[in-house]
Amino acid sequence: MGLLSSVFNPRTLRGIAKGAGKSILATIAEERENSETYLTTLAAAKEDVNNEGKIIGDNYNKALRVMESTGNTGFNNFMFEKMTVSQIAGLSDLAPTTKDQQLKQLKFQFEALDEDKKAAYETGNYSEIAKKNYDTKIDDLKISKGLVNNNRMGENTLETLITKNVRAKGKEEEDKIISQAIVPELDTPTVAEGEGIYGSIGKTAFEDSRLKLMIDQDYIDGTMEEMINRRLMSEGRFNVPSEEIEKLKNIEYNRQVNAAETIFMSQGDELIVSTKQKITNQDDIDDLLS
């Protein structure tokens, strides 16, 4: 009886209850601390996803705008296959002439394809593939940063029952933080087929090409006017009014520019290099353009 009496002694029972109470409070405090640490880490992950997701989203939107601007689905599918999203997006940051030059090189490659291969690109859907790839990249980013739901409600144990309220509150905060992860939507205006810049790709670059600059220089320094005068004299025409010479000079300038643009759009400045032709005077230019 002595042992039982000591166990069920009111003082002893109060001590047991007091000890159990301290243990429960410690368990709750520990869970609250763990929850706060987890939520702090989750909030940091959300910021990482927002920042890095914006970079990814902006890249995809810029790339889609570059492709959409051409108004040529086949060419866009070709570009999307040959270049990375970052490379295509980078085109939008280039100066107009440099961008046009880069697109011109791609256009040369695309136009050089066999008709059956070119037709195969018409059936692709670069926009849908890009959007799927973007969603996958964002999902992978969230996983890599740890911005995912974590089952912190736990199993049905005594400890989880004791900390149920703390865990439930933590779950609410977790859902709130995850919902605050905001990344750009892919929203690019669609350009109707045939209404984009595809047909004019290369024209901006032509303005700064060696061919065009040589013709401009001849116009400015009087070389072209001298050529007109020699031609008139060979025809037995002397003392031609300056107004007529100016008119003939402009006609000749436009003729050379149009011919040079045709060459440039099909072969580029590389024509001069590939033919190994030395350009020293107007006759050399005429031979090249004829």
Side-chain angles (χ1 to χ4, degrees), residues 229-244:
N229 284 324
R230 289 198 305 269
R231 183 186 299 167
L232 290 172
M233 286 187 289
S234 70
E235 296 172 354
R237 299 180 62 191
F238 303 94
N239 300 320
V240 177
S242 59
E243 293 83 0
E244 184 176 350

Side-chain angles (χ1 to χ4, degrees), residues 21-224:
K22 288 181 178 179
S23 177
I24 291 173
L25 291 175
T27 299
I28 293 173
E30 180 181 1
E31 178 57 33
R32 183 176 290 114
E33 183 179 350
N34 290 340
S35 179
E36 289 174 354
T37 300
Y38 166 69
L39 292 174
T40 299
T41 302
L42 195 67
K46 178 205 69 177
E47 291 302 317
D48 286 344
V49 168
N50 283 350
N51 293 333
E52 295 182 29
K54 185 178 186 306
I55 294 173
I56 296 172
D58 288 348
N59 254 357
Y60 269 82
N61 270 322
K62 286 164 67 176
L64 285 169
R65 289 189 191 102
V66 168
M67 291 187 286
E68 280 292 332
S69 70
T70 72
N72 188 307
T73 300
F75 178 64
N76 292 340
N77 285 319
F78 175 77
M79 189 192 316
F80 190 63
E81 179 182 288
K82 297 299 180 183
M83 301 174 70
T84 66
V85 168
S86 294
Q87 288 173 331
I88 299 173
L91 293 175
S92 66
D93 298 325
L94 298 176
T97 299
T98 306
K99 175 185 175 182
D100 193 51
Q101 182 71 30
Q102 295 295 319
L103 288 174
K104 179 173 69 70
Q105 297 305 321
L106 276 173
K107 183 178 179 180
F108 285 166
Q109 297 175 37
F110 180 65
E111 293 290 350
L113 294 175
D114 294 336
E115 287 304 316
D116 57 338
K117 290 184 179 179
K118 192 184 296 185
Y121 282 107
E122 300 290 340
T123 61
N125 194 328
Y126 66 92
S127 181
E128 288 302 317
I129 296 174
K131 289 175 181 177
K132 288 179 181 178
N133 290 350
Y134 174 64
D135 290 341
T136 298
K137 275 189 171 292
I138 294 300
D139 288 341
D140 290 345
L141 176 64
K142 290 178 179 180
I143 292 172
S144 69
K145 297 298 181 180
L147 191 67
V148 292
N149 286 106
N150 189 351
N151 182 20
R152 293 187 53 78
M153 292 307 290
E155 303 297 331
N156 190 20
T157 63
L158 178 61
E159 181 179 341
T160 58
L161 290 174
I162 292 173
T163 59
K164 180 179 179 182
N165 289 338
V166 175
R167 290 173 184 267
K169 183 178 180 180
K171 184 67 173 64
E172 290 178 8
E173 289 299 314
E174 176 188 57
D175 292 342
K176 180 180 177 181
I177 291 173
I178 291 176
S179 69
Q180 291 172 342
I182 301 173
V183 295
E185 293 288 334
L186 297 189
D187 184 18
T188 307
T190 301
V191 176
E193 191 74 11
E195 295 186 6
I197 66 169
Y198 183 78
S200 63
I201 289 175
K203 291 184 181 295
T204 302
F206 170 68
E207 292 300 317
D208 289 333
S209 69
R210 287 176 288 179
L211 285 171
K212 176 67 161 50
L213 293 176
M214 284 192 299
I215 297 171
D216 288 345
Q217 184 60 38
D218 284 348
Y219 185 89
I220 293 169
D221 65 15
T223 301
M224 196 169 291

Side-chain angles (χ1 to χ4, degrees), residues 252-270:
E252 178 61 24
Y253 173 79
N254 290 330
R255 182 193 72 81
Q256 290 193 22
V257 167
N258 290 335
E261 184 175 359
T262 299
I263 291 172
F264 183 83
M265 294 295 284
S266 63
Q267 301 179 58
D269 277 343
E270 296 307 314

